[in-house]
Amino acid sequence: MNKNVVYIIGLLMMVTSCSDFLEPKSQSEFVPKNAVSLNEMLLGDAYPQPNVSSCYLFSLQTMLDDDICCSSLPYTAYQVAQLPGYNALYSWQPDMFYLMGEVNIFYNVWESYYQFILGANAALDYIDDMVGTYEEKAIVKAQSYALRALYYFNLVNLFGEPYNHNKKALGVPLKISSELTSTLPARNTVEEVYTQIEKDLNEAEKFYLSLPESSQFSKNYRTSLPMVQLLKSRVYLHMERWSEAAEYADKVISDWSFSLVDLNTLPAPTAKEPYYNFISFDCSETIWLYGSVDDVTKYNKFIIGGQDKQPRWYMFNASTDLLTGYVGGDLRKERYIVKEYSDPTIYLTFGKYLISSTHVPSSGTEFGVAFRLAEAYLNLAEGAALSNDPVTARAAINTLREHRFIPETYTPMPELTGQDLVDYIRQERRLELCYEGFRWFDLRRYGMPSFSRDWVVNGEKVATYVIAEKDPSYTLPIPEQVLEKNKNLEQNTLANPR
């Protein structure tokens, strides 16, 4: 094994937090002896997990869309010094990351993603040099390609323009090797990034299909063939390759033993367990788990009360527009969205993962994100509707809704076609996938519509922020810290300050 191999593996073993991105402090003498050992290192260096230092990969999306609003309750914030940073994020300011850094709430998501990409790249670069069987090597490759595809998909949808709007726009740099070079990478186009994502997913699928069925899916928190198939379906929706989106969603539904949860059959809420944990392999819909609850809720669980024996209040609540979408008999509103412990009339901006008896998101040891079977039904419906197959689209939505409504109140969806059908499916998508990180990315691919949000301080509205149709703010600014380290990167077009 050459010195570069030893160096990069040493580098990976020394990475202990997101702040250490590409900053080796010394070389380690540890070298994996075989493919099995490298597979274990992949778990530590390429997977975001609850039991490692949080990098907040998934914290931004839920703060940006129209499912979140600012509390109208009077309060005295005990973290009042941080309010300018939260305001900058909430109002899509062009210098949001600088202002967040000024009050110590900035976490460099860009660098965090590239840290995990580095882990995947290293595994791909060196797996062929390891001792091991074909199957032992293939499983490492399948995981690495799948993870890299997911990370680039999220990165390009945060920092690049929507694919269906301007695929020739600048996306993010493609780094597909762990080799350290003196040349700083420039940004690839959105189209080039999507091409790489599709290529990686095809490779992941190929290697999974070459393995025995027992190695294609296991409840072991690693990626799998159905995870890859669902991600391909998601990517094809963004690329508007509708029939392929439907095809891969149907594979997830038809070829595997996952099943939709009937919300009517869930145990009744108790004081100890007020909400069912859908982000768990105990849930029959779960395909893959990753990330931590801390990562997901870093910003939207900002507390503005709770001192001096006062009730605890969260600053951010579920938007009225979202809540009014749930009609009578729809169990999702009560099962998916957590209520304020101090006031059950107030709905918050989190749910589906483990929630404590006092309605606080779990911390430290719980997964926060899942690939769920429900998404496959929604992807199938939208892909079919836009492929001129309304019968399949309506059947998929009806199957999903049958599992979400009280039986006496359930009625099949109307016999819609065309754009009316697509709009209906997308509304179901909003209701089903709320606070899972989908809505912001979906709004981008829906044409970047205009909407507004109020900023409320001590119970009084002090500002209304409007994101215009096709606003530049639908693409986030590249953090200044990133631009300072890499002078070859060009900043995105920024909106005017709000």
Side-chain angles (χ1 to χ4, degrees), residues 178-193:
S178 60
E179 180 183 0
L180 301 180
T181 67
S182 59
T183 303
L184 297 173
R187 297 174 67 183
N188 292 83
T189 67
V190 170
E191 183 177 34
E192 289 169 337
V193 177

Side-chain angles (χ1 to χ4, degrees), residues 65-106:
D65 60 39
D66 54 353
D67 286 346
I68 185 173
C69 68
C70 192
S71 175
S72 60
L73 294 168
Y75 66 88
T76 301
Y78 69 89
Q79 290 178 307
V80 65
Q82 294 183 338
L83 284 178
Y86 282 92
N87 174 270
L89 177 58
Y90 184 82
S91 57
W92 315 286
Q93 296 294 344
D95 55 351
M96 62 171 68
F97 295 132
Y98 172 79
L99 295 172
M100 292 165 69
E102 287 286 286
V103 294
N104 298 315
I105 65 168
F106 169 72

Side-chain angles (χ1 to χ4, degrees), residues 338-394:
V338 175
K339 297 177 183 178
E340 277 279 14
Y341 185 71
S342 304
D343 185 345
T345 67
I346 298 174
Y347 291 82
L348 302 172
T349 60
F350 47 78
K352 298 176 184 167
Y353 28 73
L354 187 64
I355 300 294
S356 78
S357 60
T358 55
H359 298 196
V360 176
S362 57
S363 178
T365 61
E366 296 295 326
F367 286 95
V369 193
F371 275 44
R372 295 195 299 125
L373 182 63
E375 184 197 349
Y377 279 91
L378 292 160
N379 293 0
L380 172 60
E382 186 172 349
L386 287 159
S387 299
N388 197 29
D389 185 2
V391 173
T392 297
R394 291 194 296 264

Side-chain angles (χ1 to χ4, degrees), residues 33-39 42 123-124 126-145 203 207-208 210-211:
K33 302 299 183 184
N34 51 50
V36 173
S37 298
L38 186 58
N39 191 23
L42 182 69
L124 289 170
Y126 305 121
I127 183 61
D128 287 333
D129 292 333
M130 302 292 169
V131 175
T133 66
Y134 171 82
E135 291 183 9
E136 290 168 344
K137 294 183 179 183
I139 195 66
V140 170
K141 293 180 181 180
Q143 293 173 82
S144 301
Y145 282 120
E203 288 294 299
F207 281 110
Y208 273 122
S210 72
L211 294 169

Side-chain angles (χ1 to χ4, degrees), residues 220-239:
N220 60 2
Y221 310 110
R222 293 180 183 263
T223 63
S224 64
L225 179 55
M227 174 270 180
V228 169
Q229 292 168 335
L230 186 53
L231 183 54
K232 289 187 82 168
S233 176
R234 186 186 302 178
V235 170
Y236 287 141
L237 280 186
H238 282 255
M239 299 177 77

